[in-house]
């Protein structure tokens, strides 16, 4: 039997199986009780975990998008009915599950010799895993319970796995610079939407989100006499730090590229990005983030000097 004749039945089975799975997911979301978006986010979370195992590099790209916009997705839940505290687990669990999936995918590739690694990679993995276990034990024995422990580890220690992930995914300066440009591009709308919020105020669904108990600590904004933009993120402080971090990335790429005569990012483009990010920082009304910019300039100057490293 030819390979073509063998491939066709497998393709048909895969298509049919995919269609059945899609219909099951759609039916469970539409016919299930509770918030429909929460049901959707449960399957997105599971899918991102599988994607992390199957395609770690692609999943990490998706993770960056999650970091920028997941909290906005959480706000949309108020438009799909009542939001219970349990519904939040599915949307807030998407990013941590993605990180765990990527870690599992890389570990499997290390075992089967598909990824080059050394002792430093193993040490970073062991350190991150131990940090998660220590934090989980600490929270659990303090009375956090299983649910509370999972929540706190997912929102905090799980991201220590990035110390293991990033060096394996990006092994050359060129790959680091290319992905840094992607991160900058991904966060441009975050700054722009923060400016929009400051100028035009919060949207109706965002006000409803702020009014819903348990969804955010930013409910205090309803009593304030000014807008403190938080854009697609979870707080004005996060917006301040994130947009200034992105400005730092753009400035660093431009300065390093200029000194090394490499086309990492032109100074005019970096200047425009810097202006947008500073405007987003001002919209947040939180000043702490701006401290990152002099740190970036100083760091580039120190580490690019001859003999400084």
């Amino acid at each position: 039997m030819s390979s073509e004749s063998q491939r066709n039945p497998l393709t048909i089975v895969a298509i049919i199986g995919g269609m059945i799975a899609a219909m099951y997911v759609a039916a469970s979301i539409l016919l299930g009780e509770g918030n429909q978006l929460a049901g959707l986010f449960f399957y997105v979370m599971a899918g991102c975990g599988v994607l992390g195992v199957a395609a770690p590099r692609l999943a990490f790209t998706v993770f960056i998008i999650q970091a920028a916009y997941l909290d906005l997705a959480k706000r949309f839940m108020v438009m799909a009915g009542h939001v219970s505290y349990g519904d939040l687990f599915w949307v807030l669990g998407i990013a941590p599950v993605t990180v765990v999936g990527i870690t599992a995918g890389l570990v499997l590739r290390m075992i089967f010799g598909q990824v080059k690694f050394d002792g430093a990679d193993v040490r970073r993995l062991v350190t991150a895993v131990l940090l998660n276990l220590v934090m989980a034990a600490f929270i659990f024995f303090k009375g956090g319970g299983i649910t509370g422990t999972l929540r706190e580890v997912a929102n905090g220690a799980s991201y220590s796995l990035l110390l293991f992930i990033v060096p394996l995914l990006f092994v050359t300066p060129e790959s680091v610079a290319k992905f840094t440009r992607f991160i900058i591009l991904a966060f441009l709308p975050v700054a722009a939407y923060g400016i929009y919020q400051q100028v035009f105020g919060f949207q109706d669904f965002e006000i409803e989100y702020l009014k819903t108990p348990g969804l955010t600590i930013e409910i205090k904004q309803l009593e304030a006499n000014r807008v403190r933009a938080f854009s697609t993120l979870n707080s004005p402080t996060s917006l301040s730090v994130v947009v200034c971090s992105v400005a730092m990335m753009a400035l660093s790429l431009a300065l390093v590229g200029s000194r090394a005569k490499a086309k990492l990012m032109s100074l005019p483009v970096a200047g425009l990005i810097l202006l947008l990010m500073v405007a987003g920082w001002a919209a947040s009304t939180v000043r702490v983030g701006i401290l990152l910019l002099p740190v970036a300039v100083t760091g580039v100057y120190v580490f690019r000097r001859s003999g400084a490293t």
Side-chain angles (χ1 to χ4, degrees):
M1 184 179 294
S2 67
S3 60
E4 186 68 28
S5 62
Q6 289 177 339
R7 190 182 302 117
N8 288 337
L10 293 176
T11 302
I12 293 172
V13 170
I15 292 173
I16 294 174
M19 291 174 62
I20 293 174
M23 288 188 291
Y24 171 79
V25 170
S28 64
I29 293 172
L30 295 174
L31 301 178
E33 298 180 358
N35 191 284
Q36 292 180 343
L37 275 180
L40 173 63
F41 290 142
F42 170 78
Y43 290 106
V44 172
M45 180 183 69
C48 286
V50 173
L51 179 64
V53 176
R57 184 71 174 266
L58 175 59
F60 192 77
T61 302
V62 173
F63 169 73
I64 296 300
I65 302 300
Q66 294 168 0
Y69 302 104
L70 263 185
D71 210 84
L72 179 61
K74 184 176 75 171
R75 285 173 231 166
F76 287 145
M77 293 173 67
V78 300
M79 298 188 293
H82 173 71
V83 182
S84 68
Y85 190 70
D87 292 333
L88 298 180
F89 284 103
W90 309 134
V91 63
L92 296 179
I94 292 174
V97 168
T98 304
V99 170
V100 172
I102 294 170
T103 302
L106 290 175
V107 170
L108 287 173
R109 284 161 176 77
M110 290 167 62
I111 293 173
F112 291 104
Q114 298 176 355
V115 170
K116 293 181 179 180
F117 67 97
D118 56 25
D121 296 308
V122 176
R123 287 192 293 272
R124 283 191 293 268
L125 174 62
V126 171
T127 300
V129 171
L130 287 176
L131 179 61
N132 278 268
L133 292 176
V134 169
M135 176 168 279
F138 176 75
I139 296 171
F140 181 80
F141 288 113
K142 275 192 67 176
I146 295 177
T147 301
T149 299
L150 289 174
R151 181 180 66 249
E152 294 302 322
V153 171
N155 289 335
S158 64
Y159 295 110
S160 65
L161 292 168
L162 294 174
L163 296 173
F164 163 73
I165 291 171
V166 173
L168 283 177
L169 290 181
F170 307 102
V171 297
T172 64
E174 292 77 15
S175 64
V176 172
K178 182 178 180 180
F179 200 78
T180 301
R181 288 194 293 268
F182 168 75
I183 294 174
I184 294 170
L185 180 64
F187 279 89
L188 292 180
V190 175
Y193 190 55
I195 298 168
Y196 178 89
Q197 284 182 333
Q198 185 58 244
V199 174
F200 298 103
F202 298 123
Q203 302 299 301
D204 290 341
F205 76 93
E206 291 174 321
I207 294 175
E208 188 65 28
Y209 162 80
L210 292 173
K211 289 180 178 178
T212 305
L215 289 189
T216 176
I217 61 173
E218 291 302 315
I219 190 172
K220 58 182 180 289
Q221 294 226 34
L222 296 175
E223 302 174 357
N225 57 4
R226 62 172 180 167
V227 172
R228 302 178 70 239
F230 49 90
S231 186
T232 63
L233 306 176
N234 65 349
S235 70
T237 301
S238 294
L239 177 61
S240 173
V241 172
V242 166
V243 295
C244 288
S245 297
V246 173
M248 178 184 67
M249 292 178 190
L251 192 59
S252 298
L253 282 180
L255 293 176
V256 171
S258 176
R259 291 182 62 89
K261 299 186 180 348
K263 293 182 179 180
L264 302 180
M265 179 171 288
S266 68
L267 283 172
V269 171
L272 290 174
I273 293 172
L274 181 63
L275 288 176
L276 177 63
M277 295 300 155
V278 169
W281 163 78
S284 75
T285 72
V286 177
R287 306 309 176 206
V288 64
I290 203 67
L291 297 175
L292 293 172
L293 292 180
V295 171
V297 174
T298 303
V300 170
Y301 175 73
V302 169
F303 289 107
R304 293 301 301 174
R305 284 182 59 192
S306 176
T309 51

